[in-house]
Amino acid sequence: MLKAIADVFRSIGSAVATVVTLPFRAIARLFGGASSTAHGNH
């Protein structure tokens, strides 16, 4: 019983982590591209 509950929480936690990190990853890529083009390091 407890193991099943732990598995459910683990799957929910991984899904939430993915959803939360995706926007930050996109923003980081956006800012990374903007800063690299602005500095002209490319």
Side-chain angles (χ1 to χ4, degrees):
M1 181 72 183
L2 283 175
K3 188 181 183 296
I5 294 171
D7 286 341
V8 169
F9 274 117
R10 195 174 297 129
S11 58
I12 291 172
S14 63
V16 169
T18 305
V19 172
V20 167
T21 53
L22 269 175
F24 284 112
R25 238 176 259 171
I27 291 168
R29 193 177 299 165
L30 256 171
F31 277 112
S35 65
S36 64
T37 50
H39 287 303
N41 289 335
H42 252 298

